[in-house]
Amino acid sequence: MARDHGVIGSAAPAAARQSGRVPWLLIAAPTAVLLLFFALPNALLLSASFVKSEAQQLTNELTLENYQFLFTRPLYIWAFIRTFIVGTAVGAIDVLLGFPLAYFLVRTRSRWKGLLIALALAPLLASVVVRTYGWYILLNRYGVANDLLVSLGLLDERIAFMPSTGAIIVGLAHALLPYTVLTIMGSLQGINPNLEAAAMSLGASRTRTFFHVVLPLSFPGIAGGFILAFSIAISAYATPAILGGPATQVMATAIYGFMTQLLDWSIGAALAVILVVCAVTLAYAAARLGARQAAL
Amino acid sequence: MSPWAALRAVVIYVYVFMLGPILITAAVSFNASNRSQFPPRGFSPQWWQRAFSAEWVEPLVFSFKLAALAALISTALALPLAFGLSRHRFPGRAAIAALTLGPLMLPALVTGVGLLQLFQYVGLRDYLGFSALLIGHVVICVPFGVRTIAISLQALPPSLELAAASLGASRLATLRHVVLPLIKTGIVAGAVFAFVHSFTDVNLSLFLVRPGEQPITVKILGFLEYGFAPTLAAVSVITLALPLVLVAIVERVSGLGDFIYASRSRG
């Protein structure tokens, strides 16, 4: 599979024309669209977060109150903490489940290999809403899990698996697993098989080779997979909205609340800025870790 | 048990975890009762009939149109941008590259909030709905096309163009008869990823909808507040099958495998 290390990043393009002139004809229109509808709204968001707003209109009053508000109310402090717990747990679960699967998919000689890879990645083609809905069917009070446990006599009466932080974690871990698998597969494929052969020819056992050669070499993929799952999980809205409730707010659901129900757009903007800072820091960390193909 | 056999056992459980909820959703949609019983009791196509009523077909068609247009426009923007970035070196190139990848780096949710505020503050609130959604989706889809097309361009040996030029072909003719046919797969792959990304998006769309103009994902999300309905299971299966069929067809006709690494997005 083709890799895209630095395809549009900083690497010097192979067939580049060294004219040094800006190719306006090529880049003017797309750049204008991105500046107008991506850079401008995000700049607006950043400035709105430092301004007081009334009735969805900004005032001229500069203030840090929006941030102060968020960092002093227990409800939102808990939303931050919960968001990070969810992100960490989702990343950890996805690495634990994704590594064995990725290792298997890279190394298997089964003639079903192609189909198995397709099956592992196909869930990416479905919306998170649809995939989370399956967990809703499983976990709600009158859902499949309760039916099963009651009929087996393991439960006396139905219990609520959701709304809960646990349900959000399971749902997101499920939704983001293919990303982690893809990232780890990428780094496993990059390992020179001769290294393993060399370790074994020098007398290392299969297990020793795995722990001392394969695992350390696939660390960028593992870290990249963790960070990718983490950073998508902290900005996910649909799964926490479906499997959580008012008592399990995360940053994404809180932003939605500020924008559509509480109608305090400046605080919503401040919260969005905090989310961006977290996500971009993580993406940068992932790039530094050498797993840039995962983050970009 | 050998380590490999143990690994295989673990992998089976991981597949059950990944595919179980999707299969249960499909099974429940054929339930005879209106509860989420599993295994399903009885067999009834009634929920599927309801899934094909106007209430659900309309947002589905809306999503399809939105995704098709977003894929088309974003690819049209991505093509020259990919050429500019991978064939030219110019001052500010790094900034343009960062701007291009920006929509992938930043959570779509934040871009959605930003666009909503932009539309509100400049008095374009009336354009929320399809127009705003299309703009937002084009923006978050551009990076996919740029990446897949840039990959194709890099794989192209420069000697081919030199050969065409030495045989007297003009630059335009070389582009039309040599370069474009050779990067066709990259263009198609970018458009397909853009379509899927748009069709499955919810984080961005959430903020730009208005009543009667919402994609299927937002519609499902809103409906879930009323609790379980088997109709929703049937709708979910349809929503899930559509991009799957599309990707399967394109994979058959032109191939996507090489570009899978470029397809990774943020939620």
Side-chain angles (χ1 to χ4, degrees), chain A residues 6-284:
Chain A
V7 166
I8 37 181
S10 51
R17 302 211 162 84
Q18 307 285 336
S19 65
R21 272 211 320 259
V22 183
W24 287 114
L25 201 63
L26 293 170
I27 65 163
T31 305
V33 169
L34 287 173
L35 280 176
L36 196 59
F37 296 116
F38 176 71
L40 180 64
N42 280 297
L44 197 69
L45 200 65
L46 183 64
S47 49
S49 75
F50 290 107
V51 170
K52 254 190 132 131
S53 81
E54 266 157 28
Q56 298 167 45
Q57 286 298 339
L58 298 177
T59 63
N60 285 329
E61 208 178 316
L62 274 177
T63 175
L64 281 175
E65 255 173 51
N66 303 316
Y67 290 94
Q68 247 162 27
F69 179 90
L70 290 168
F71 286 119
T72 48
R73 299 289 186 291
L75 179 64
Y76 300 110
I77 296 174
W78 271 109
F80 292 134
I81 297 173
R82 190 173 295 107
T83 305
F84 278 87
I85 293 174
V86 167
T88 312
V90 168
I93 293 174
D94 280 351
V95 165
L96 281 177
L97 297 179
F99 189 87
L101 181 55
Y103 188 77
F104 178 84
L105 288 176
V106 169
R107 291 303 160 84
T108 183
R109 283 195 213 96
S110 160
R111 60 199 172 98
W112 303 111
K113 184 172 177 165
L115 181 72
L116 287 170
I117 293 177
L119 270 181
L121 303 182
L124 284 180
L125 299 175
S127 171
V128 177
V129 177
V130 172
R131 281 183 286 156
T132 303
Y133 185 57
W135 287 102
Y136 180 87
I137 293 174
L138 268 165
L139 296 178
N140 77 73
R141 188 177 277 268
Y142 298 97
V144 177
N146 267 308
D147 280 350
L148 207 68
L149 292 172
V150 170
S151 67
L152 288 175
L154 294 171
L155 271 185
D156 288 334
E157 53 186 82
R158 294 171 177 277
I159 58 164
F161 293 109
M162 54 160 282
S164 70
T165 308
I168 297 174
I169 291 172
V170 172
L172 275 175
H174 176 253
L176 305 181
L177 184 55
Y179 290 110
T180 315
V181 172
L182 203 52
T183 312
I184 299 178
M185 275 176 73
S187 80
L188 284 172
Q189 266 161 348
I191 297 177
N192 187 342
N194 290 337
L195 289 174
E196 279 170 83
M200 294 216 271
S201 78
L202 293 170
S205 69
R206 209 167 248 289
T207 327
R208 203 177 145 83
T209 307
F210 176 81
F211 282 103
H212 290 270
V213 178
V214 179
L215 205 55
L217 284 174
S218 56
F219 178 73
I222 293 173
F226 178 90
I227 290 172
L228 189 64
F230 186 108
S231 65
I232 300 178
I234 61 170
S235 67
Y237 172 80
T239 307
I242 297 172
L243 299 177
T248 58
Q249 284 237 8
V250 291
M251 281 161 82
T253 53
I255 292 175
Y256 186 72
F258 278 117
M259 298 307 293
T260 62
Q261 284 138 29
L262 304 172
L263 295 179
D264 193 321
W265 282 17
S266 290
I267 299 183
L271 199 48
V273 169
I274 297 170
L275 187 63
V276 167
V277 170
C278 297
V280 171
T281 312
L282 279 166
Y284 184 73

Side-chain angles (χ1 to χ4, degrees), chain B residues 186-209:
Chain B
I187 299 173
V188 172
V192 169
F193 291 142
F195 180 92
V196 172
H197 192 60
S198 162
F199 195 78
T200 58
D201 171 79
V202 60
N203 278 355
L204 175 92
S205 308
L206 214 51
F207 298 97
L208 305 175
V209 294

Side-chain angles (χ1 to χ4, degrees), chain A residues 4 13 17 116 174 186 189 296, chain B residues 15 18 86-87 147 150 229 261:
Chain A
D4 55 302
R17 302 211 162 84
L116 287 170
H174 176 253
Q189 266 161 348
L296 294 179
Chain B
Y15 272 109
M18 277 217 285
S86 56
R87 288 297 175 87
R147 289 175 70 179
Y261 279 95

Side-chain angles (χ1 to χ4, degrees), chain B residues 14 17-18 24 31 38 40 46 55 67 80 82 90 106 113 145 161 163 167 176 206 213 226 235 248 250:
Chain B
V14 176
F17 172 72
M18 277 217 285
I24 285 173
N31 228 330
F38 185 85
Q46 57 171 319
E55 188 192 2
F90 53 91
L106 252 56
V113 174
E161 284 164 80
L167 291 172
R176 240 192 88 195
L206 214 51
E213 294 186 25
Y226 306 110
V235 173
V250 175

